[in-house]
Amino acid sequence: MKKFISLALVSAMAASMVACGGSSTAATTAAAAPAAAAETKADAASGEDDTLGVSTATIRFKAGTTNAITSAYNQGLIAFRNLLEEKSNGEMTVDLYLSSSLGNESDMLDAVSMGTQDMLVTSTGPIPAFSKATANWGVLDLPYLFPTAETAYEVLDGEVGQQLLDGFNGTGVLALGFWENGYRCTTNSKKEIVHPADLQGMKIRTMENKVHMATYTQLGATPTAMAMGEVFSALQQGTIDGQENPFSIIYYGNKLHEVQPYMTENNIFYSPAVLCISQDVFDGLTADQQAILIECADQGKVKQREIEQGMAVSGRKAMEEYGIIISDVDQAEWIDATAPVYDDASLGIDADLLAKVQAVTGK
């Protein structure tokens, strides 16, 4: 069984890890929190430990991500935590475990579903393979599906989004709503990439996501699925030539610009994120506590998107100042080059769901 909820918020600070959860796991997480905090403090650029919530909280949710404290995910979680502490009068808080310290996204999604981890912020990457009921999430991974972030919000905050979130019912995961990962761009260590043909033969890290992998194959690259925690060293050692992620993860979340001198702002995929909570943990809360959690998740979604959008702008500027060569593209050329992915029957895209999305986006 598997369990899941949706949220994330952003700003920029320093790197780290965290602790514990809100029902049966709360006691064990509290015990683990000091060690996690020490590791976080050592990694944080500012030297400040933001991974632990208020010490007086009696309900502590253990939340994991694959990125550093500076990432949009974790800055979002901090904003969510601030709301939660305020609205619960300090009764509930969130402790953060960062930088894949609890495993990759698939590992953590499984842990949340089994109730051994309370919360997770994840990309949509591992969700189609999570269960039969969430297989239709693959539609969100199609290239150039959302022309703007605003169109994505309209779809994800509407009927289609709720249908997708409801797919987690019965899996042990509760999905609260859609946060934002951002538009995914391609980086590499070899050359400037402007046209799709420039990717020919390049080994590009992707998530373990068959739609993403099919897209890069269509573009002539060799996609290589790899956990986020392994990407920096693989790029540094030349095991792979490049990778694809939003600015907030490339620059703030994982410092990949340090080993990737070229970036192409091709925005192939709009990538949502989801805040997941264990259904068992959620069910263990009182009705008032559940209402507060849901309210904070909804408000946190808006704040996190603002953070992610800000990081996309500031991340590009910072990377340019660092010396990264950033290429803009004729997006129409890339849309044409990736169009055959929509007709790939092997991907099992839900045609009815796609039609609902396109009815909103006008594609």
Side-chain angles (χ1 to χ4, degrees):
M1 274 265 165
K2 311 190 175 184
K3 317 178 180 178
F4 181 94
I5 268 192
S6 147
L7 260 181
L9 307 174
V10 182
S11 249
M13 287 182 76
S16 82
M17 293 183 178
V18 174
C20 186
S23 70
S24 59
T25 61
T28 55
T29 316
E39 291 181 24
T40 300
K41 202 160 191 174
D43 290 341
S46 67
E48 183 178 352
D49 179 13
D50 283 322
T51 59
L52 300 180
V54 61
S55 61
T56 54
T58 55
I59 298 174
R60 313 189 70 86
F61 299 110
K62 172 182 176 180
T65 74
T66 58
N67 299 312
I69 194 71
T70 45
S71 72
Y73 281 6
N74 292 311
Q75 291 301 307
L77 277 172
I78 290 170
F80 165 63
R81 178 176 68 200
N82 291 342
L83 288 166
L84 194 62
E85 289 176 352
E86 177 186 353
K87 292 182 182 297
S88 71
N89 294 317
E91 181 184 30
M92 292 187 285
T93 193
V94 182
D95 295 329
L96 312 183
Y97 279 105
L98 313 180
S99 302
S100 303
S101 62
L102 298 180
N104 62 33
E105 290 181 332
S106 293
D107 295 333
M108 290 190 284
L109 191 52
D110 287 341
V112 169
S113 76
M114 293 183 289
T116 57
Q117 179 176 328
D118 302 326
M119 285 183 172
L120 161 70
V121 177
T122 179
S123 69
T124 57
I127 296 176
F130 175 66
S131 74
K132 289 182 179 179
T134 60
N136 60 352
W137 278 65
V139 72
L140 297 180
D141 298 312
L142 286 165
Y144 299 107
L145 181 66
F146 297 115
T148 65
E150 288 69 29
T151 16
Y153 304 158
E154 187 176 357
V155 171
L156 299 175
D157 295 342
E159 177 187 347
V160 173
Q162 192 58 55
Q163 178 182 339
L164 289 165
L165 296 175
D166 288 345
F168 281 97
N169 294 344
T171 67
V173 171
L174 176 61
L176 291 178
F178 289 93
W179 285 14
E180 184 164 85
N181 195 8
Y183 279 102
R184 305 179 75 91
C185 305
T186 309
T187 69
N188 83 96
S189 60
K190 300 294 186 182
K191 62 181 181 180
E192 189 174 4
I193 293 173
V194 177
H195 307 289
D198 297 334
L199 274 170
Q200 189 68 40
M202 297 193 75
K203 197 170 185 179
I204 303 294
R205 178 269 174 183
T206 69
M207 294 187 290
E208 192 173 350
N209 180 294
K210 61 183 182 179
V211 179
H212 285 197
M213 297 181 78
T215 301
Y216 273 91
T217 298
Q218 178 64 35
L219 291 170
T222 302
T224 303
M226 184 180 294
M228 194 65 233
E230 302 170 11
V231 174
F232 188 96
S233 60
L235 292 169
Q236 192 174 44
Q237 295 164 12
T239 306
I240 51 178
D241 300 317
Q243 62 83 52
E244 53 85 48
N245 260 305
F247 276 103
S248 61
I249 289 181
I250 293 168
Y251 183 77
Y252 292 107
N254 289 277
K255 300 184 184 297
L256 301 181
H257 63 286
E258 294 179 359
V259 289
Q260 293 280 270
Y262 300 98
M263 177 169 184
T264 305
E265 192 168 2
N266 44 10
N267 294 341
I268 297 178
F269 309 103
Y270 172 83
S271 183
V274 191
L275 175 66
C276 317
I277 189 169
S278 162
Q279 186 71 58
D280 287 345
V281 170
F282 183 80
D283 290 345
L285 302 174
T286 66
D288 286 345
Q289 290 166 344
Q290 289 175 351
I292 290 171
L293 185 70
I294 291 170
E295 179 185 3
C296 292
D298 196 48
Q299 293 180 8
K301 171 183 68 179
V302 176
K303 292 188 175 185
Q304 189 274 335
R305 288 172 177 173
E306 292 174 353
I307 294 171
E308 167 60 39
Q309 291 290 317
M311 283 191 173
V313 175
S314 62
R316 171 162 180 151
K317 181 179 179 182
M319 288 173 66
E320 287 175 328
E321 292 174 351
Y322 186 85
I324 304 303
I325 298 172
I326 301 180
S327 303
D328 294 307
V329 304
D330 176 0
Q331 197 170 89
E333 181 183 12
W334 288 76
I335 291 173
D336 288 344
T338 57
V341 175
Y342 282 71
D343 299 319
D344 186 343
S346 70
L347 298 177
I349 299 299
D350 185 328
D352 291 337
L353 188 59
L354 176 59
K356 289 182 180 179
V357 173
Q358 292 177 324
V360 178
T361 64
K363 283 189 65 175

